Amino acid sequence: RLNLSMLQRLAAYLRRPAAAPLVAAVRCVSSGSVDITAPLNFWAGKRRTSQEKRDKENVYEPATGRVLCQLEPCGAVEVNQAVEAAKSAFGHWSKLSGMERARIMIEAAHIIEVRREEIAEMEVVNNGKSITEARLDVDSARLCIEYYAGMACTLAGQHVQLPGGSFAYTRREPLGVCVGIGAWNYPFQIAAWKSAPALACGNSMVFKPSPVTPVTAVLLAELYTQAGAPEGLFNVVQGSQETGSLLCHHPDVAKVSFTGSVPTGKKIMEMASKGVKPVTLELGGKSPLLIFKDCDVENAVKGALMANFLSQGQVCSNATRVFVQRDILPEFMEEVVRRTQAIEIGDPLLESTRMGALVSQPHLERVLSFVDQAKKEGATVLCGGEPFIPSDPKLRGGYYMTPCVLGNCTDEMTCVKEEIFGPVMSVLSFESEEEVLRRANDTSLGLAAGVFTSDVRRAHRVVEHLKAGSCFINNYNITPVEVPFGGFKMSGIGRENGQVTIEYYSQLKTVFVEMGDVDSLF
């Protein structure tokens, strides 16, 4: 009866129409109109306030520069309560069958689909990216939960026949309470990417968003609860370095998954090592895009734009080192500059906007400083790289800049060597395949890389030699949830998405079964 009910729900889910297309929707909010007063911490099934008096931190709306809400950071007491709630939920959740867990996860995905526009709008208000991109992020979160709901039913071990009728088998078991620490560029999506495989494997999670973008992770916590998850299965604690340290050092935490910068990733790895806890680290990148003269130039230009200007350039996998074979450099540069200048900047909640605001004023100043440094080092600003002030008076305090293309770049320049994390494309020329591969791999990072060419043999040959975890041929920044994502070298450890991620949220137990007498040496 229970299985029939599950199958009926699954069948009904599959018969539902697809998510609404990316067309103009009726706005529920507008930039500058939102004030958030509800608590942003969540554990044991509801929003929580701190029991101790702490200084609150302002959270800003990037589009306007106004204060959106105040963040109440969690200390040791709150972290302990959240972890205890997760431990309690784990006891129940880990004993459910994969089908039982899948039913709740599919319901959560359905709620996300229904509330897609609301979640996307709040993501825009808190992060500054365009509503068009925010909708795609919400879709990615939903698809990830759906994907791992399907995986939950497939978790299985192995049977090994041994001599004399004895045998062994393996069990794939959950780890326990997992910690997820998110970044500010994809707040809702990252929370889903970390929680979905964890929950599918039978774990519970305590998630800490970036203090810059704390708003939407708590929406995910609420909808998991609404979907029928046990109270405490997915919890949200807000805070900065102190809160993260408390989570990493907590004796009841079994694993830490972090997305963010290389320096912070190193600290998290060190803290987790004190308890010999496994970590998944998705860190920074300074990825190369190799554009050969035999490519489709129009596609290569579009790929370079996608590789640099999504989310205002605030994407870890961005290919900010664009290597163009000298023969087609003038043609490529003319078109990429023309299209970059045509990018519409402004209110991220407008359908026509393609580039919203950077996440904060300090980050905007940091990105602009890289452009200034590039000019001092001899690069040519072909377009953009300046503060942008929208005509709408309510947006004039926002954190906007014009997308920038830098020419005459060399490998030694700061803009080519360091991760800028903003809408700044550095273009370099090359002559030969051997030369560009050597230069592309000359970095301590290895998150992603791409190649544009019409020669299929060259494409696969080049990808084989690129030292990066996620490689693209004739496209860029495509991240289907069915495919593993992660880096080589200092860009991280482990993977997110795809089947392999199950291995990072579970542990293997081997069981030996003797069917005869013990053959003892004593």
Side-chain angles (χ1 to χ4, degrees), residues 183-366:
W184 47 254
N185 54 343
Y186 288 89
F188 189 79
Q189 183 191 88
I190 289 175
W193 278 21
K194 294 189 184 301
S195 62
L199 302 191
C201 290
N203 303 289
S204 58
M205 177 166 276
V206 179
F207 185 80
K208 190 193 84 65
S210 165
V212 180
T213 52
V215 173
T216 50
V218 72
L219 298 180
L220 182 61
E222 287 181 325
L223 65 87
Y224 272 135
T225 302
Q226 183 183 348
E231 294 182 355
L233 185 66
F234 182 79
N235 311 275
V236 177
V237 294
Q238 305 286 356
S240 300
Q241 183 176 346
E242 178 189 354
T243 309
S245 177
L246 288 167
L247 288 168
C248 292
H249 284 116
H250 200 289
D252 292 326
V253 166
K255 178 205 169 66
V256 181
S257 177
F258 168 74
T259 298
S261 70
V262 174
T264 305
K266 289 180 177 179
K267 292 177 182 176
I268 285 175
M269 191 173 185
E270 181 180 2
M271 288 187 287
S273 72
K274 306 297 183 184
V276 198
K277 297 171 185 175
V279 295
T280 294
L281 303 175
E282 197 271 276
L283 308 179
K286 192 66 183 175
S287 302
L289 182 62
L290 283 52
I291 299 176
F292 288 89
K293 63 183 179 181
D294 63 352
C295 72
D296 180 319
V297 175
E298 182 181 356
N299 267 334
V301 168
K302 291 191 289 185
L305 296 171
M306 290 291 287
N308 279 271
F309 299 140
L310 283 176
S311 293
Q312 298 75 252
Q314 301 165 143
V315 183
C316 52
S317 59
N318 271 2
T320 53
R321 294 184 294 146
V322 179
F323 294 90
V324 183
Q325 202 154 19
R326 192 175 299 278
D327 307 62
I328 60 168
L329 183 62
E331 178 186 1
F332 174 87
M333 294 298 278
E334 180 181 358
E335 184 62 12
V336 84
V337 168
R338 183 187 71 80
R339 294 186 66 141
T340 300
Q341 290 174 322
I343 294 173
E344 184 160 346
I345 313 164
D347 189 339
L349 281 170
L350 294 182
E351 297 293 334
S352 59
T353 297
R354 285 299 172 265
M355 182 169 289
L358 276 71
V359 78
S360 70
Q361 183 66 34
H363 186 64
L364 171 62
E365 293 171 358
R366 179 180 181 275

Side-chain angles (χ1 to χ4, degrees), residues 18 32 90 95 184 192 233 260 271-272 289 297 353 395 400 404 418 426 479 490 498 503 522:
F90 172 73
K95 291 180 174 58
W184 47 254
L233 185 66
M271 288 187 287
L289 182 62
V297 175
T353 297
L395 304 177
Y400 302 91
C404 178
E418 296 186 18
S426 299
T479 53
M490 292 181 69
E503 298 178 16
F522 306 101

Side-chain angles (χ1 to χ4, degrees), residues 7 34-35 39 43 56-58 63 87 174 182 230 254 276 280 303 310-311 335 353 439-440 455 459-460 470 516:
L7 290 172
V34 177
D35 292 298
W43 59 83
K56 296 183 178 181
E57 303 171 14
N58 286 337
K87 280 178 62 179
V276 198
T280 294
L310 283 176
S311 293
E335 184 62 12
T353 297
R439 294 167 64 193
D455 185 337
H460 291 285
S470 298

Side-chain angles (χ1 to χ4, degrees), residues 37 43 53 63 90 92 136 145 251-252 254 383 399 403-404 409 425 427-428 457 468 478-479:
T37 57
W43 59 83
K53 294 295 182 180
F90 172 73
H92 170 68
L136 296 175
I145 294 171
D252 292 326
C383 66
Y399 317 131
C404 178
C409 296
M425 179 194 302
V427 182
L428 308 97
R457 291 177 298 177
I478 306 301
T479 53

